[in-house]
């Protein structure tokens, strides 16, 4: 038998529960898939029965590569790479006994489940399952049928355009389709937590821009490149990302020279929040995102969070707030960010850090410290240093000119 024709089935997650808005969500998921497909080859992409189908339109379009793209596309709870048969029992059995044995190597037991979405197909599901089971046993004699706890479940789906045969469904990226839930600005450091936070909000359908604060010469050019590299990794999940870079060098020097050392970090974070708020308003973001996790460090206690939250009236999303470091690292590895995150470059938050930062800063005392500096002037001056980088998926970061951005 020649090459079996294969198709990717992408099964809806939460989107299946959407009522009147569902077509809009579907359209967004398909657009996301088509954008990805256009870089790989030529594919037919269509939706039917809570599933999106991706079929190569010619022999040169790499379906395995497209599968990896589908794994990064939000909105799908399950994915499978299925063999396509004609809608006759002969074709289904022939394809199943050719395609499945290679997939079932190393397994001992299996079971066939049939789903007959096309009710015009003459055989009922149990009959289809029994016949396909027999055909598989004949071509893979090392297997046994186990209906209760099989090593693997083989599924035959008889649908509108054909019959699809696959051995097991893998998890999709989940979440909601990209761009269906507003725009937010991620405070992106070079650490482990903030890229994870950005990914988690993207997964909820949020379009994410980023802002990064640097402190050259106390932080290095490499530290900025690292942040741009992390943002690039996030573009596996979206089409592009804008990263705004703002220098807080002078703010840090003034805080170091004018304020009590114990308040340094919290005061710097208040500037960061105010500048993030300003960036968000400038770029049309409706919320901020940080990678904070409650109690992880002194600046992430409830007192400290309260003292930074009041610098913005936008909602601040902190998807890592209830996660411990291990859980955050698991996600970081999953999105492929971990190895970059642990590269040892300084972050502005680790420059001039006091040995004993206040863990319970009283707002009145923080404000008293802050009055020692000209907050508005320093914030304006930092704002003027803002540069914007645009990163399109699969491309190098490119700096925007002022005119392009506006
Ligand atoms: P991360 O791993 O994300 O760096 P962290 O555990 O190092 O987090 P902090 O340094 O206290 O924690 O930062 C808390 C959050 O503040 C970060 O998750 C990020 O959202 C934001 N943040 C910290 N430093 C910067 C920076 N230089 N630029 C932009 N945002 C920052
Ligand atoms: Mg950090």
């Amino acid at each position: 038998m020649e090459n079996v024709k294969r198709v990717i089935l992408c099964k809806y997650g939460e989107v299946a529960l959407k009522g009147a808005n569902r077509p809009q969500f579907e359209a967004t998921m398909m657009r996301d898939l088509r954008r990805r497909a256009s870089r790989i080859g030529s594919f037919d992409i269509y939706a039917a029965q809570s599933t999106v189908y991706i079929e190569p339109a010619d022999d040169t379009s790499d379906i395995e590569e497209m599968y990896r793209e589908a794994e990064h596309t939000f909105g799908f709870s399950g994915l499978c790479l299925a063999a396509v048969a004609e809608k006759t029992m002969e074709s289904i059995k022939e394809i199943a006994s050719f395609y499945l044995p290679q997939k079932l190597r190393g397994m001992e037991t299996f079971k066939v489940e049939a789903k007959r979405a096309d009710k015009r197909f003459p055989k009922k599901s149990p009959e289809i399952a029994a016949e396909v089971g027999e055909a598989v046993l004949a071509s893979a004699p090392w297997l046994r049928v186990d209906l209760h706890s099989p090593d693997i479940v083989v599924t035959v789906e008889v649908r509108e355009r054909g019959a699809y045969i696959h051995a097991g469904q893998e998890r999709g990226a989940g979440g909601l389709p990209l761009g269906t839930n507003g725009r937010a600005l991620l405070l992106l450091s070079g650490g482990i937590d903030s890229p994870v936070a950005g990914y988690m909000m993207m997964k909820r359908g949020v379009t994410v821009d980023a802002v990064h604060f640097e402190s050259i010469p106390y932080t290095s050019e490499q530290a900025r490149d690292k942040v741009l590299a992390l943002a690039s990794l996030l573009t596996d999940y979206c089409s592009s990302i804008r990263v705004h870079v703002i220098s807080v060098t002078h703010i840090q020097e003034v805080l170091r020279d004018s304020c009590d050392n114990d308040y340094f970090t919290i005061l710097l974070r208040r500037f960061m929040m105010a500048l993030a708020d300003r960036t968000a308003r400038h770029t049309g973001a409706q919320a901020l995102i940080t990678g904070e996790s409650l109690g992880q460090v002194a600046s992430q206690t409830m007192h400290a969070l309260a003292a930074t939250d009041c610098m913005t009236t936008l909602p601040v999303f902190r998807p890592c707030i209830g996660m411990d470091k291990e859980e955050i690292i698991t996600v970081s590895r999953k999105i492929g960010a971990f190895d970059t995150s642990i590269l040892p470059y300084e972050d502005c938050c680790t420059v001039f850090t006091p040995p004993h930062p206040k863990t319970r800063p009283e707002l009145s005392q923080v404000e008293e410290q802050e009055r020692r500096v000209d907050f508005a002037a320093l914030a304006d001056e930092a704002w003027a240093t803002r540069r914007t980088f645009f990163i399109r998926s699969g491309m190098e970061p490119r700096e925007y000119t002022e005119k392009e951005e506006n």
Side-chain angles (χ1 to χ4, degrees):
M1 186 179 228
E2 290 294 293
N3 279 345
V4 176
K5 190 176 156 203
R6 288 183 300 168
V7 53
I8 303 168
L9 309 184
C10 313
K11 313 271 173 122
Y12 294 1
E14 269 174 64
V15 172
L17 309 173
K18 298 281 171 198
N21 293 331
R22 184 169 142 166
Q24 245 170 300
F25 282 89
E26 269 180 343
T28 309
M29 285 144 78
M30 308 254 279
R31 207 178 315 126
D32 196 356
L33 286 170
R34 289 203 173 104
R35 173 184 61 78
R36 293 167 186 271
S38 69
R39 291 203 306 260
I40 298 173
S42 177
F43 294 88
D44 283 333
I45 299 177
Y46 52 91
Q49 298 161 330
S50 292
T51 304
V52 171
Y53 296 75
I54 309 175
E55 269 179 42
D58 56 37
D59 291 343
T60 59
S61 300
D62 185 343
I63 197 164
E64 313 263 351
E65 197 181 341
M66 188 60 215
Y67 188 86
R68 286 190 289 280
E69 289 293 331
E71 284 182 306
H72 289 95
T73 307
F74 292 123
F76 298 110
S77 62
L79 297 178
C80 34
L81 199 50
V84 185
E86 281 168 34
K87 284 178 14 179
T88 63
M89 273 322 287
E90 292 68 46
S91 174
I92 293 172
K93 285 193 282 189
E94 187 190 12
I95 299 283
S97 46
F98 175 77
Y99 180 69
L100 290 171
Q102 12 172 358
K103 298 268 161 205
L104 304 182
R105 232 171 259 139
M107 313 265 173
E108 288 181 6
T109 59
F110 79 111
K111 156 185 172 178
V112 182
E113 274 180 2
K115 294 182 192 160
R116 193 175 55 128
D118 176 3
K119 300 293 177 210
R120 290 166 310 177
F121 191 76
K123 298 233 162 158
K124 295 218 167 79
S125 301
E127 293 171 77
I128 304 172
E131 287 192 32
V132 171
E134 268 173 42
V136 172
L137 278 176
S139 57
W142 66 88
L143 288 171
R144 272 182 301 117
V145 173
D146 181 343
L147 297 180
H148 301 293
S149 56
D151 293 342
I152 189 137
V153 177
V154 166
T155 308
V156 180
E157 304 186 31
V158 183
R159 290 177 171 250
E160 207 54 44
R161 294 211 193 178
Y164 305 99
I165 301 155
H166 56 90
Q169 172 168 314
E170 289 179 336
R171 278 175 83 115
L176 291 172
L178 201 72
T180 53
N181 242 341
R183 178 182 289 276
L185 181 72
L186 168 67
L187 283 81
L188 181 62
S189 69
I192 297 169
D193 309 330
S194 46
V196 168
Y199 156 78
M200 287 173 76
M201 296 316 299
M202 282 181 183
K203 186 173 169 190
R204 296 311 299 164
V206 175
T207 302
V208 173
D209 290 327
V211 61
H212 174 67
F213 300 101
E214 65 179 12
S215 193
I216 290 175
Y218 305 108
T219 60
S220 60
E221 292 271 348
Q222 286 107 304
R224 181 201 300 163
D225 290 344
K226 172 184 172 182
V227 168
L228 294 176
L230 287 169
S232 295
L233 290 170
L234 288 176
T235 64
D236 281 354
Y237 293 92
C238 59
S239 59
S240 63
I241 193 164
R242 281 185 294 182
V243 183
H244 306 276
V245 178
I246 296 177
S247 168
V248 290
T249 309
H250 192 220
I251 292 176
Q252 291 194 272
E253 288 169 340
V254 171
L255 290 176
R256 177 196 58 191
D257 297 340
S258 319
C259 304
D260 290 353
N261 199 247
D262 299 354
Y263 288 90
F264 177 84
T265 307
I266 193 76
L267 292 169
L268 173 62
R269 299 193 66 82
R270 279 165 65 87
F271 270 102
M272 286 173 32
M273 209 58 148
L275 288 163
D277 177 278
R278 191 159 170 181
T279 310
R281 290 177 198 285
H282 184 77
T283 57
Q286 303 144 287
L288 302 179
I289 304 167
T290 79
E292 288 156 317
S293 158
L294 191 64
Q296 194 186 76
V297 287
S299 59
Q300 297 179 26
T301 62
M302 266 191 219
H303 277 75
L305 296 180
T308 51
D309 254 4
C310 55
M311 303 305 284
T312 178
T313 51
L314 296 172
V316 182
F317 298 137
R318 298 182 168 94
C320 301
I321 198 75
M323 295 165 81
D324 62 31
K325 201 74 191 182
E326 227 172 287
E327 291 167 323
I328 299 173
I329 287 174
T330 302
V331 182
S332 171
R333 285 190 198 280
K334 182 179 122 162
I335 63 173
F338 187 71
D339 292 340
T340 305
S341 284
I342 59 174
L343 293 173
Y345 301 117
E346 291 280 294
D347 179 59
C348 70
C349 284
T350 53
V351 175
F352 311 145
T353 38
H356 305 292
K358 282 256 178 284
T359 53
R360 294 179 172 213
E362 284 301 331
L363 189 56
S364 58
Q365 284 165 340
V366 173
E367 285 169 344
E368 191 187 308
Q369 290 281 328
E370 202 168 76
R371 278 194 288 275
R372 298 186 188 179
V373 305
D374 187 342
F375 191 97
L378 283 169
D380 282 349
E381 185 196 344
W383 175 252
T385 69
R386 185 176 54 95
R387 295 169 64 183
T388 301
F389 296 83
F390 180 74
I391 308 173
R392 187 177 289 289
S393 183
M395 313 253 278
E396 287 293 308
R398 182 172 71 81
E399 188 168 357
Y400 259 143
T401 64
E402 192 60 29
K403 205 168 118 225
E404 276 178 300
E405 201 201 333
N406 293 328

